[in-house]
Amino acid sequence: MLSVSAATGEGLDALEAGAKFYLRALELERALPRNVFRLLKFGRFESGRVCNAISAHTHMEGSLRAFQDDIFFGMRDGLLALGKQIEAETGCAVRVDMNEGYPAVMNPPELYARVRQVTDFRELAAPMMIPAIMTPRETDSAVVLMPMSRKL
């Protein structure tokens, strides 16, 4: 998702640039209202080759999920803009790569209520979020939320 390269001979630090990106990306996600269903988490953050030298490269991978297209594309655009901002501030080359993911799905409240009535979903995390299938991918495993296709 994020790749940072730095000319360490010029004192540029890819680890510092990556850390700035990470912290500000979390701020972007937290700035959204709590009732907006989304997730931005990073599970992999690697930098440098040794402990006693400035890092010339940082690599970070994570997951961006949203259940509304405008939220997903807004967060994506915010992350891309953040990469450019960190690049301008630090002098490091910053590349942000993201796939488009899956189409956003928000199940109607009526469907959610009907599913709750006929299932054992005791702890659905949020209204209108009904896990349908688990889809393993090369670098990502995620619950894909899909509309229920059968009548309840």
Side-chain angles (χ1 to χ4, degrees), residues 35-108:
N35 66 337
V36 173
F37 304 124
R38 83 305 190 159
L39 171 80
L40 176 64
K41 296 294 178 191
F42 296 92
R44 185 171 178 217
F45 191 121
E46 295 180 6
S47 191
R49 294 178 188 242
V50 296
C51 65
N52 60 348
I54 297 174
S55 174
H57 184 78
T58 293
H59 181 79
M60 193 180 340
E61 293 180 11
S63 190
L64 169 61
R65 300 272 183 258
F67 301 101
Q68 296 162 301
D69 285 335
D70 59 327
I71 300 299
F72 176 83
F73 290 116
M75 289 180 66
R76 182 198 65 182
D77 293 347
L79 292 171
L80 293 170
L82 178 59
K84 291 178 183 175
Q85 180 183 5
I86 297 296
E87 187 172 78
E89 286 177 20
T90 65
C92 296
V94 177
R95 190 179 87 217
V96 179
D97 294 311
M98 286 185 270
N99 64 29
E100 292 300 312
Y102 306 100
V105 175
M106 286 293 285
N107 290 309

Side-chain angles (χ1 to χ4, degrees), residues 108-128:
E110 302 80 30
L111 175 61
Y112 172 77
R114 290 170 62 194
V115 168
R116 288 271 320 218
Q117 289 175 353
V118 298
T119 65
D120 276 342
F121 285 118
R122 288 187 175 85
E123 295 186 24
L124 283 177
M128 301 176 284

